[in-house]
Amino acid sequence: MIVQIGHELPEILCRVLAGRNVPLEDAEGFLNPTLRTLMPQPGVFRDMEKGAERLAAAIRTGEKIGIISDYDVDGVSSAALMLHFLHAVGSDARVHIPDRLTEGYGPSETAVRALASEGTKLLLTLDCGVLSHDPLAHASELGLTTIIVDHHQAGAELPEAHAVINPNRQDDTSGFGYLCAAGVTMIFIATVNRVLRARGFYGASMPEPNMLQWLELVALATVWDVVPLIGLNRAYVGQGLKIMARRENKGLAALADVARLKRAPDVYALGFVLGPRINAAGRVGSALDALRLLITADRGEAMHIAQMLEQLNRERQSIEMAVADAAIAQAEAALGQAARPKVLVVAGRGWHPGVVGLAASRLKERFNLPSFVLAEDKAGELV
């Protein structure tokens, strides 16, 4: 049976669309998502235009820019996306990605002071910052202007910043709360680009960049962050995969080769082949290496970093397996007691803090109970 909704579709496909709660009038956009139809106007986001005007001004005047991003795939991809854009418009930025073990998540007062001491005037926080009240208040005290680009749930009170661009802030009604940070960053740089164009910034000596070439970074982050593949995200991933197939990003091409990815990139490759290798840098190495991979234009450097990340991923897998096995053994012992616990809490000395979250997921899947895995140092203190 064929069902007609502007074009003919098999009945089985219509049933699948209905099962996913896709109205008939939205079927075309769901099956063939395009940026042209799904990319929002910047004005729907709180502070988007305000932040774009400020970054555009910094680019035009050569102001020193600093970036603090998260150490996971979304954060590193967001930083790479921003750097690609800044380099294309003749600017640059000093990037700080916190060390997972020694600094933890998000901006810190130490990182803010370091950037300020190097002359940074405009601070961008990517995939972090919306809950960093004290560090960003300190940034203001040091004379830095901050623009937050985030997607995590915000509190009622926002940090001190010139602009807080986050579809999940409580007063944002854009309806784009399903985006990852890289998805929000893409809209932000598109808005900055529009401002620069309106100010006559582009010309023969400064051509306007083609931002579509960076969509593969947004696709990678979108799949890895496990945000819903609906609306704009479907366009990001669909178009990003097409661009990734061209192998123009030297780092991603090298990583695909090292991982022995023989077929055209797909969602599985983003989530289970490329993503884990990039994420391994932030877990058991340095996320700055992953950032270097995503921005390098040198094929030799790209291959060197890709091989490094391949080794780090193998180390991560080995460490994770050892910690998970030990955690499961503890959990089984606890569950064997007369008073069966309703929550699993296990801890071990020498366990790598970078993999305890993954081990907790293994426990949750195996025993179907809320699970916490804690790492202790040699003295028995939590790390």
Side-chain angles (χ1 to χ4, degrees), residues 5 17 21-30:
I5 55 169
L17 293 174
N21 298 315
V22 178
L24 287 180
E25 60 271 20
D26 296 340
E28 174 65 28
F30 186 86

Side-chain angles (χ1 to χ4, degrees), residues 22 26 29-35 37-40 175-176 178-179 222 227-238:
V22 178
D26 296 340
F30 186 86
L31 295 172
N32 300 296
T34 64
L35 290 173
T37 58
L38 294 171
M39 198 75 166
F176 284 87
Y178 60 82
L179 296 176
T222 297
V227 291
L229 287 184
I230 59 175
L232 181 58
N233 281 344
R234 290 180 63 79
Y236 276 154
V237 173

Side-chain angles (χ1 to χ4, degrees), residues 33-364:
T34 64
L35 290 173
R36 182 181 298 276
T37 58
L38 294 171
M39 198 75 166
Q41 292 297 315
V44 304
F45 296 89
R46 294 298 300 266
D47 285 0
M48 180 69 77
E49 294 176 317
K50 182 180 180 182
E53 290 281 358
R54 181 64 182 83
L55 179 54
I59 291 169
R60 294 171 64 203
T61 59
E63 196 171 5
K64 284 198 172 182
I65 301 168
I67 294 172
I68 297 176
S69 79
D70 190 14
Y71 38 65
D72 72 353
V73 174
D74 192 15
V76 172
S77 297
S78 297
L81 180 60
M82 182 60 70
L83 283 177
H84 277 298
F85 174 71
L86 291 176
H87 293 164
V89 296
S91 188
D92 198 3
R94 168 77 164 83
V95 179
H96 178 82
I97 302 180
D99 183 276
R100 179 189 290 264
L101 303 185
T102 61
E103 296 177 77
Y105 170 79
S108 65
E109 293 189 9
T110 300
V112 166
R113 283 196 299 272
L115 290 172
S117 69
E118 296 172 356
T120 294
K121 296 300 181 184
L122 177 61
L123 173 63
L124 307 177
T125 69
L126 307 177
D127 195 25
C128 59
V130 78
L131 297 176
S132 303
H133 294 269
D134 291 343
L136 297 186
H138 187 55
S140 180
E141 293 170 358
L142 295 174
L144 275 66
T145 301
T146 300
I147 297 173
I148 298 171
V149 182
D150 205 348
H151 73 126
H152 295 100
Q153 195 65 47
E157 183 179 349
L158 297 173
E160 187 170 348
H162 177 79
V164 180
I165 303 166
N166 183 345
N168 284 309
R169 55 183 280 182
Q170 295 185 16
D171 59 349
D172 188 287
T173 58
S174 65
F176 284 87
Y178 60 82
L179 296 176
C180 70
V184 181
T185 301
M186 186 68 184
I187 298 170
F188 180 49
I189 66 171
T191 309
V192 177
N193 188 67
R194 180 183 299 183
V195 173
L196 291 173
R197 186 193 307 131
R199 300 290 185 273
F201 181 77
Y202 298 120
S205 60
M206 179 61 69
E208 182 173 340
N210 173 17
M211 289 181 292
L212 294 179
Q213 64 185 306
W214 305 317
L215 279 175
E216 56 192 326
L217 297 173
V218 186
L220 174 66
T222 297
V223 172
W224 177 259
D225 228 46
V226 201
V227 291
L229 287 184
I230 59 175
L232 181 58
N233 281 344
R234 290 180 63 79
Y236 276 154
V237 173
Q239 298 301 314
L241 287 172
K242 293 177 183 177
I243 292 166
M244 188 177 293
R246 302 175 191 168
R247 296 173 56 87
E248 293 175 358
N249 184 295
K250 300 295 190 297
L252 288 176
L255 194 60
D257 290 342
V258 168
R260 296 179 176 83
L261 184 63
K262 302 299 183 182
R263 63 182 186 278
D266 53 16
V267 170
Y268 179 88
L270 298 182
F272 295 96
V273 179
L274 302 179
R277 287 162 170 79
I278 294 171
N279 205 50
R283 287 193 176 275
V284 296
S286 171
L288 285 171
D289 289 327
L291 177 62
R292 286 170 50 222
L293 177 82
L294 297 181
I295 64 174
T296 185
D298 183 271
R299 195 181 305 273
E301 181 184 30
M303 183 55 67
H304 172 73
I305 300 173
Q307 290 170 341
M308 183 193 311
L309 296 187
E310 175 72 14
Q311 180 59 37
L312 285 175
N313 190 52
R314 291 176 182 172
E315 292 178 16
R316 188 271 307 168
Q317 290 173 324
S318 176
I319 293 169
E320 180 188 340
M321 185 175 297
V323 171
D325 288 346
I328 288 171
Q330 279 196 35
E332 288 176 337
L335 291 171
Q337 298 176 1
R340 180 183 173 89
K342 295 182 179 180
V343 176
L344 290 174
V345 180
V346 300
R349 293 191 181 184
W351 289 359
H352 197 295
V355 303
V356 293
L358 299 171
S361 297
R362 295 282 183 89
L363 291 186
K364 172 65 171 61

